[in-house]
């Protein structure tokens, strides 16, 4: 695993295709102490409660996303939002932050996608001595490409 690796939850893909989620829903990022390898994306109805959230100091319990959009360019659908910005170092910041979790707060805090924040899959970020900037990929939070002709 490496910083920035990401995986979507299978139920989130299912619920998106069933029309359970909307771009007007409230989406949030929550940081976790769970390791990326232990996050099972095949859980049935995973929610924030399925994982161990971590916060404190300058790390908020959750970050509500702004500028959420779902767009289409040719055969590519993109889900995106504004970056959450920089978390400044602080002695009270958690010492166990390993993953970031995207949830749909409107729909029961459903787990949507998870990112590995570590360099090796296990070592937590050092937010006591270092600032941390969380930015989504320049191509969007996630994309889906339709292959049909």
């Amino acid at each position: 695993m490496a910083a920035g690796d990401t995986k979507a939850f299978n139920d989130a893909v299912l619920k998106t295709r069933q029309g359970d989620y909307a771009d007007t829903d409230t989406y949030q990022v929550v940081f976790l102490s769970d390791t990326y390898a232990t996050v099972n994306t095949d859980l049935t109805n995973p929610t924030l409660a399925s994982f161990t959230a971590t916060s404190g100091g300058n790390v908020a319990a959750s970050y509500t996303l702004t500028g959420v959009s779902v767009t289409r360019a040719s055969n590519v659908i993109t889900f995106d939002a504004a970056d959450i910005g920089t978390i400044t170092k602080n002695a009270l910041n958690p010492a166990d932050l390993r993953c970031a979790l995207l949830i749909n707060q409107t729909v029961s805090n459903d787990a949507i996608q998870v990112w590995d924040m570590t360099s090796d899959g296990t070592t937590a970020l050092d937010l006591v001595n270092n600032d941390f900037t969380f930015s989504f990929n320049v191509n969007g939070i996630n994309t889906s490409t339709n292959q049909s002709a």
Side-chain angles (χ1 to χ4, degrees), residues 99-121:
C99 289
L101 179 70
L102 174 66
I103 62 169
N104 184 325
Q105 189 271 331
T106 304
V107 182
S108 305
N109 290 327
D110 278 1
I112 306 292
Q113 187 171 342
V114 65
W115 289 266
D116 186 358
M117 299 286 99
T118 72
S119 60
D120 61 5

Side-chain angles (χ1 to χ4, degrees), residues 5-90:
D5 283 356
T6 186
K7 51 190 176 183
F9 289 85
N10 294 329
D11 269 15
V13 175
L14 172 67
K15 290 179 180 184
T16 298
R17 292 188 177 161
Q18 290 175 330
D20 294 347
Y21 301 149
D23 54 352
T24 55
D25 289 350
T26 300
Y27 293 91
Q28 297 177 324
V29 169
V30 177
F31 292 107
L32 307 177
S33 62
D34 304 86
T35 63
Y36 186 73
T38 63
V39 175
N40 179 359
T41 56
D42 199 32
L43 290 174
T44 301
N45 294 316
T47 66
L48 175 57
S50 306
F51 307 100
T52 307
T54 188
S55 63
N58 292 327
V59 179
S62 64
Y63 295 84
T64 299
L65 300 186
T66 60
V68 173
S69 65
V70 178
T71 58
R72 181 178 75 88
S74 185
N75 64 333
V76 178
I77 308 298
T78 302
F79 174 78
D80 202 7
D83 297 334
I84 65 169
T86 300
I87 298 169
T88 55
K89 61 186 171 186
N90 185 301

